[in-house]
Amino acid sequence: MTTEVAADPGERVRRAVRWVLAGIVVLAIALVATSVQRQAPFSPYDEYVYFDYLTKVSSQGFVRTGEEVGEFARAELECRGVASYGSYGDGCGIGDVEDDALFPYHGLTGADLYTPVYFAITRVLAQPLTWFGMGLLDAGRMVGGLWLAAAASMTFLALRRFRVGLVPAAGLVLLGMTTPVAQSSFAFISTDAAAITAGAALALLTARVITGASSAWWLVPVGLLGVLAKPQAIGALGAALLIVVVHALVTQGRWREASAWRGAVLPAAVAAVVALAAQLVWGRIRSATAVGPGANLGVGSEHLPPDSIIRLLDNVLLNVGAVQPVEAQASMEIAVAVATALACAGIVAGVIGLSRQPTPKGASTARSWAIGTGALAVLMIPVLMLMTWVLDGSYFEPPLRYGAALLPFLLVSAGMLLARSRAIGWAVVALSAVLIGLSWS
């Protein structure tokens, strides 16, 4: 009898966690499904070329550099247009779709940068919906609900790994759903959905590694898959690797122990090399299979502004969950402001040792997390810009959504600050519920 009574509290918590997870999954799918029913235009964030990739992935594997967008996607664009940009082509069902000059990028694809990972997964999951009469575009968008459910669930589990209370953890996940980058990524066909999901998977794995539940070697395959799905997931992988290394060598003070180097530094180095090598191999494949010059995306410049690095340092950290250039609703701007404030406060508190995270050695894990997340949030956009300039000889200012993969890490940073504060947790839940109703309606 005594054993059963003692086990009851733990079982109640596990049951509550399962119910919250089920609620997150249902809410994610419902939000995206509702959004799909309302959305007609293509998203301004390259959904048109992503849809073209989705139509081709099952027949040709991947799109080639210099390849023209297919007639199916062009016909959809003529009928739907692009949100905030208007219509293209001759008009829905009028004439043909052969005039390249009437379409974005002069008729060429701009999605050849990406491997088929995201598109293959989405196509497999979307295909059954088409058997019941749903168009492929809407079916692909519906799969965004599954991507959102996966990302939100793993973020929640990462928060719970650090014993963040159920209420604050759920509130932060809901807050993440209200951000502009969440809606633009999951309510449409977008590789950013893969980036955020990869970031959530890496956040959960990193939490397990630094709490002793998983081996750091798992960062190699998970990081590789994430970067192949979306190159910008390299930011989340970088944060994960830095957190693991800092935790083992600095905050735990094990820099003299060979076991720490073998268990943290070596797998981190291998994960970084494998991810970068995969991108180089994919670059060679793109070059070898190109059918012509790539699309001119109209975003590059040969000149690197002297102040560009300094100007871009705060792009991710001070704009958590933001997108550009399309103006967001007021409710989404509120979500960005709140998420930014909580994430920055969590990082600062973690670095200086004020985290309220209740796990054993909570201060050390919070400090490791804050250092890794804060460093990548500051450096990611400038590093991506410099890499583009060095490799291609052109300046390209990465948009805010390129930092989307770090959203789960930033939410966990906020969670370490809130920890078990039920009052603030309920306030975040209430605010997020209102913002979800406004931003997703």
Side-chain angles (χ1 to χ4, degrees):
M1 179 68 70
T2 303
T3 302
E4 292 179 0
V5 171
D8 280 346
E11 179 57 32
R12 285 199 297 270
V13 171
R14 286 189 290 272
R15 188 181 301 115
V17 167
R18 289 193 291 269
W19 277 109
V20 173
L21 277 173
I24 287 173
V25 170
V26 170
L27 178 62
I29 294 173
L31 287 176
V32 172
T34 302
S35 178
V36 170
Q37 297 304 312
R38 297 192 315 270
Q39 298 290 351
F42 279 101
S43 162
Y45 305 110
D46 296 328
E47 188 185 22
Y48 159 62
V49 291
Y50 293 157
F51 174 59
D52 178 62
Y53 204 138
L54 190 69
T55 67
K56 297 174 178 177
V57 68
S58 60
S59 59
Q60 65 182 59
F62 62 94
V63 298
R64 277 67 174 170
T65 300
E67 179 176 325
E68 291 189 347
V69 171
E71 293 183 0
F72 190 45
R74 292 189 184 199
E76 283 282 356
L77 180 63
E78 283 191 330
C79 292
R80 293 175 178 265
V82 177
S84 302
Y85 288 89
S87 59
Y88 290 86
D90 292 322
C92 187
I94 301 174
D96 56 38
V97 292
E98 299 297 326
D99 190 348
D100 294 340
L102 298 178
F103 295 92
Y105 312 143
H106 288 280
L108 298 180
T109 182
D112 54 289
L113 171 66
Y114 302 105
T115 75
V117 172
Y118 163 77
F119 301 98
I121 294 172
T122 301
R123 180 61 186 264
V124 168
L125 296 175
Q127 194 62 38
L129 296 177
T130 66
W131 300 338
F132 297 94
M134 183 176 289
L136 183 59
L137 177 60
D138 285 344
R141 288 175 170 178
M142 287 289 289
V143 175
L146 300 180
W147 285 104
L148 177 56
S153 297
M154 288 187 288
T155 302
F156 176 77
L157 291 174
L159 286 158
R160 288 296 299 162
R161 188 72 207 170
F162 292 120
R163 298 184 186 175
V164 176
L166 280 173
V167 174
L172 287 168
V173 169
L174 294 178
L175 180 63
M177 289 183 178
T178 68
T179 58
V181 77
Q183 185 159 349
S184 67
S185 300
F186 297 108
F188 301 92
I189 298 170
S190 172
T191 53
D192 291 330
I196 298 175
T197 304
L202 285 164
L204 175 57
L205 178 57
T206 305
R208 290 180 59 84
V209 170
I210 66 174
T211 56
S214 293
S215 167
W217 284 104
W218 281 108
L219 290 167
V220 178
V222 175
L224 173 61
L225 184 60
V227 172
L228 286 177
K230 177 81 172 185
Q232 287 75 27
I234 193 73
L237 178 59
L241 301 184
L242 186 56
I243 290 168
V244 168
V245 171
V246 168
H247 183 69
L249 302 186
V250 181
T251 58
Q252 285 194 324
R254 298 172 57 207
W255 61 274
R256 293 183 178 181
E257 298 179 19
S259 61
W261 288 83
R262 290 194 303 269
V265 178
L266 181 58
V270 171
V273 170
V274 167
L276 292 174
Q279 285 302 302
L280 290 175
V281 170
W282 174 244
R284 293 294 182 89
I285 293 173
R286 290 178 60 213
S287 297
T289 59
V291 296
N296 180 6
L297 305 183
V299 294
S301 169
E302 293 182 358
H303 305 288
L304 180 66
D307 65 338
S308 57
I309 295 178
I310 301 299
R311 183 166 44 82
L312 296 175
L313 285 175
D314 62 359
N315 262 22
V316 175
L317 188 58
L318 298 186
N319 297 279
V320 177
V323 295
Q324 63 186 51
V326 177
E327 185 176 351
Q329 300 175 21
S331 57
M332 294 184 183
E333 293 177 351
I334 293 172
V336 169
V338 174
T340 298
L342 291 176
C344 289
I347 289 173
V348 172
V351 170
I352 65 179
L354 295 180
S355 170
R356 299 176 62 189
Q357 188 215 340
T359 57
K361 299 183 179 179
S364 67
T365 55
R367 181 172 288 113
S368 305
W369 194 278
I371 291 172
T373 301
L376 265 295
V378 169
L379 297 174
M380 179 181 173
I381 297 297
V383 167
L384 286 175
M385 179 270 296
L386 282 174
M387 286 176 61
T388 303
W389 186 66
V390 170
L391 294 175
D392 296 340
S394 64
Y395 167 73
F396 165 60
E397 186 167 316
L400 291 176
R401 60 191 178 89
Y402 275 21
L406 286 173
L407 180 59
F409 282 85
L410 291 162
L411 292 174
V412 173
S413 296
M416 289 184 175
L417 174 67
L418 300 183
R420 310 190 78 80
S421 177
R422 292 177 62 86
I424 298 178
W426 278 115
V428 175
V429 168
L431 174 63
S432 300
V434 172
L435 295 179
I436 284 176
L438 294 173
S439 61
W440 285 84
S441 61

